[in-house]
Amino acid sequence: MPDFSVIADVSKTLEGVLTAAFTNLGPQPPIAEIHDLSGQISTQPARLTLFLFEVAEDAGLRNRPPVQTAFPSMLAIQKPPMPLVLRYLATPWSGDRDTDQRIIGRTLQTLYDDAIISGPSLTGRLANTSQALKVKLVALELEDRARVWHAIQRPYRISLVYEVRFVNLDPTAMELRPPVLVRQLDPAVP
């Protein structure tokens, strides 16, 4: 059951998938790391920072019906999980343009080949669940990218924007009701 830690678990999953994909990029392969882009960013070893810059509710899945779970003597009714969309800025840091572009190329290749992350690739509370993360490259206008870089007070760098969908955040509130054992229909009511 994805709880409040689901956002951190998605970030760690992306970090693990990308770090594993970089192992074939030389004797000192780059790493992927979650980073808020503040302070100095080391280029030894080269790295791809994953900056979570936006968390939003997926409006297309907002109006799902309540979830009902039957117990022997009660019926539990709960809001459906909150569907989230997470947006990440993926930026290479190596100190060398050629290496930066190799990191970008491998990132694109990995998240295109494995656009749905599930099963053993999931980490944290997502591990051993039926969750599937759908990862998509997002075309963000240059002006919007510049706004993100301006907001974090850094000069613009080549970067990728990825969107992760179908991240479900389970609610905590649950209503218990006794099950309906008998019902009676009134033939006079049409």
Side-chain angles (χ1 to χ4, degrees):
M1 300 292 282
D3 61 7
F4 60 88
S5 65
V6 71
I7 296 170
D9 293 340
V10 169
S11 296
K12 284 294 186 189
T13 295
L14 287 175
E15 186 179 70
V17 165
L18 289 168
T19 295
F22 294 154
T23 57
N24 64 354
L25 291 182
Q28 283 198 309
I31 60 169
E33 74 172 344
I34 307 305
H35 204 288
D36 63 2
L37 301 180
S38 64
Q40 188 66 25
I41 299 172
S42 175
T43 57
Q44 294 298 323
R47 67 195 64 232
L48 178 81
T49 56
L50 297 168
F51 172 51
L52 176 63
F53 71 92
E54 186 175 27
V55 178
E57 186 174 8
D58 189 338
L61 297 175
R62 184 177 295 162
N63 293 323
R64 295 183 289 179
V67 176
Q68 297 182 12
T69 308
F71 295 106
S73 62
M74 296 301 264
L75 181 67
I77 301 173
Q78 195 172 24
K79 284 182 172 182
M82 182 181 191
L84 299 176
V85 177
L86 308 178
R87 291 186 182 93
Y88 291 88
L89 186 69
T91 310
W93 303 84
S94 70
D96 171 53
R97 245 180 283 158
D98 187 51
T99 304
D100 283 352
Q101 292 174 11
R102 289 180 196 279
I103 293 170
I104 285 177
R106 185 65 179 134
T107 301
L108 288 164
Q109 185 180 48
T110 300
L111 296 179
Y112 180 74
D113 287 347
D114 298 321
I116 299 175
I117 301 172
S118 61
S121 297
L122 298 174
T123 59
R125 300 274 308 224
L126 295 174
N128 302 315
T129 66
S130 61
Q131 292 286 312
L133 306 176
K134 294 177 174 49
V135 183
K136 180 176 112 179
L137 181 64
V138 177
L140 203 58
E141 297 294 327
L142 183 59
E143 184 176 321
D144 293 330
R145 284 178 199 253
R147 283 188 187 133
V148 172
W149 285 102
H150 179 71
I152 58 176
Q153 298 177 351
R154 283 200 172 260
Y156 178 82
R157 290 183 61 96
I158 187 70
S159 55
L160 305 169
V161 176
Y162 277 97
E163 191 172 84
V164 180
R165 287 189 174 272
F166 304 119
V167 177
N168 289 311
L169 177 63
D170 286 336
T172 56
M174 182 184 301
E175 182 182 339
L176 296 173
R177 294 183 186 168
V180 176
L181 300 174
V182 178
R183 71 177 183 174
Q184 185 177 18
L185 299 175
D186 185 358
V189 177

